[in-house]
Amino acid sequence: MKKVITYGTFDLFHEGHYRLLRRAKALGDYLIVGVTTEAYDATRGKLNVIDNLMTRIENVRKTGFADEIIIEESSGQKFSDIKKYDIDIFTVGSDWTGSFDYLKDYCQVVYLERTKNISSTMLREKNRPIQRIGIIGTGRIANRFVPEARLVSGVSTQGVYNPHPESAVRFAGRWEIEAYTDLENFFSAVDVVYIASPHETHYAYIKAALEHGKHVLCEKPMVLQRAQAEELFRYAKDRGLILLEEIKTAYCPGFQKLLNIACSGNIGSIRNVEACFTKLERPDVRELTDPVYGGSFTELGSYVLLPVLKLYGTDYQELRFDTIRGENGLDLFTRASLVYPAGIATATCGLGVKSDGRLLISGTKGYIVAEAPWWKTTYFEVRYEDSSRVERYSDTFLGDGLRYEISNFLSMINQSSKENFKLTRSESVALADIMEQFLKTENRKHEDMGTQGLQPEISGEHRTGF
Ligand code: C2G
């Protein structure tokens, strides 16, 4: 008798789970299914699991494919189960290809092709829909997004759009999703849109996605003009849609904790904020060569402005920029200085100058310091006049951290809450406004793409970062 084993969370049971179990059963004579516990999912960084363990087990049982159901409680369990149950074949979906090769010494390992198309309307317990995500853009961040999205229950990455067929097909092949080069087809296949295309294309894509009734999560900087941000938020609100800017720091638990401590009076009244983030790049990368949208501030400014806006608000009295430029005129290092009625702030970032990337928040009773990489906040200290008194705080930052914002975005959709306190509309508008002021002081002639002729314009002017 050939014994097969597979594992999964099987939350919000869908076609992908059903097809996986059917094929797993067909691999042998006896199928054991391991269903993960909440505690195990928490340790492996899976967010947002909705159904409880009993419901998930019951859904697996109802398929009729499992001869035996066990629970999976820890990461080392697969290895011991294979011995304990005398397993011939371990199988799991191809989104895990390579991850379980270490079991090959003990049994056959089969990766079954992942199911690409999940219908969002399939009836399931509590009738919660799966949100099918479509990605616009195929660059570095989009590549980080897909594995992160797989760790958020309730979403399924369905397809990718890029007007350049080779890029779309390459990306889709890598992540086993559908490739689209036609925007209409793309929009009709997905429920929500994640935009990770070059900065100047965001406005047009957001508008097009909203016009097609899609909720939108857009990479920072969302747009580079105040009027565009205001228009898009108004447009989304009028249509009952969610528009959210993605700055991963804003959604991570450690940064939330830091803001809570800073605002709880421990350090008194806040009088000074200094945020710095530098990341040395090769001189030939798009970020340091694009004459209109390149440079340090458009790339990293959103991160360093975030704590300033969160702690002081959007009503600053003065704003000035000091920059160090490279030979091509682009800023290699920029410091934005802001003056508020009650305090001052500097937001410093660089792609061509290295500095100490720390976040320092000074108050009338003490200060908070978070060392680099504070933008992936895992640890910070609160210090006082009495230097022996130090309070230490820590929190988790899982993987690339994008799962937090995806989970936040999903909660907003499911709870129909249009405002998000982690990054509010007015904060996103202020960020666009500061970017606009920066580009003006730099005398950059920038004209964000309009929605007219969306595809030809982008495909005509190929950008490496797309
Ligand atoms: N699956 C699939 N197609 C999808 C989604 C999921 O084939 N569109 C497969 C997964 O690859 C997995 C199974 O369905 O084999 C269960 O998926 P999840 O519930 O998401 O569980 P997962 O996080 O993949 O857990 O120890 C746990 C296992 O390692 C896998």
Side-chain angles (χ1 to χ4, degrees), residues 7-10 17 44 46 72 78 92-93 95-96 100 115:
Y7 298 86
T9 307
F10 303 105
H17 300 142
R44 72 188 184 115
K46 194 153 188 169
E72 186 184 27
K78 291 185 178 76
V92 71
D95 36 347
W96 293 99
F100 297 108
T115 301

Side-chain angles (χ1 to χ4, degrees), residues 234-440:
R234 214 171 26 244
Y235 199 81
K237 197 171 174 209
D238 289 350
R239 282 160 184 75
L241 295 168
I242 285 150
L243 170 58
L244 193 61
E245 181 170 13
E246 187 288 310
I247 304 175
K248 64 175 180 250
T249 313
Y251 306 93
C252 80
F255 187 69
Q256 290 303 314
K257 191 178 272 183
L258 184 148
L259 292 179
N260 290 342
I261 298 291
C263 297
S264 64
N266 291 30
I267 60 166
S269 305
I270 298 166
R271 297 285 184 246
N272 182 40
V273 177
E274 291 172 28
C276 179
F277 182 174
T278 64
K279 184 170 102 198
L280 284 186
E281 288 284 4
R282 285 196 334 264
D284 59 340
V285 296
R286 175 186 61 83
E287 291 86 341
L288 284 176
T289 51
D290 184 327
V292 185
Y293 302 97
S296 306
F297 199 68
T298 48
E299 191 60 25
L300 299 176
S302 313
Y303 288 113
V304 287
L305 289 167
L306 176 72
V308 179
L309 297 179
K310 296 288 332 168
L311 294 166
Y312 283 136
T314 56
D315 290 330
Y316 52 86
Q317 295 167 317
E318 285 171 40
L319 167 66
R320 63 170 266 191
F321 301 99
D322 295 295
T323 62
I324 292 168
R325 275 176 247 282
E327 280 170 18
N328 63 4
L330 286 177
D331 65 306
L332 294 176
F333 191 72
T334 290
R335 186 178 60 214
S337 305
L338 297 94
V339 177
Y340 284 81
I344 54 175
T346 55
T348 309
C349 54
L351 294 175
V353 175
K354 192 67 198 164
S355 190
D356 185 10
R358 58 154 52 180
L359 172 61
L360 178 67
I361 303 165
S362 312
T364 50
K365 292 185 185 162
Y367 65 96
I368 296 175
V369 63
E371 304 291 350
W374 63 264
W375 48 94
K376 299 180 184 179
T377 324
T378 52
Y379 179 76
F380 62 91
E381 290 182 357
V382 184
R383 298 180 193 158
Y384 299 92
E385 181 65 29
D386 172 2
S387 57
S388 65
R389 188 178 158 212
V390 178
E391 291 159 11
R392 297 177 173 83
Y393 295 89
S394 56
D395 216 318
T396 47
F397 184 91
L398 297 165
D400 278 321
L402 281 86
R403 70 192 72 175
Y404 300 114
E405 80 216 12
I406 301 169
S407 173
N408 200 89
F409 181 53
L410 185 64
S411 306
M412 287 175 76
I413 294 170
N414 288 338
Q415 289 155 20
S416 304
S417 62
K418 302 292 174 283
E419 188 59 304
N420 156 47
F421 73 92
K422 292 179 183 164
L423 186 61
T424 64
R425 289 185 200 119
S426 53
E427 286 159 355
S428 278
V429 169
L431 285 168
D433 185 58
I434 295 173
M435 288 290 163
E436 183 174 2
Q437 294 189 55
F438 173 74
L439 292 175
K440 261 188 202 144

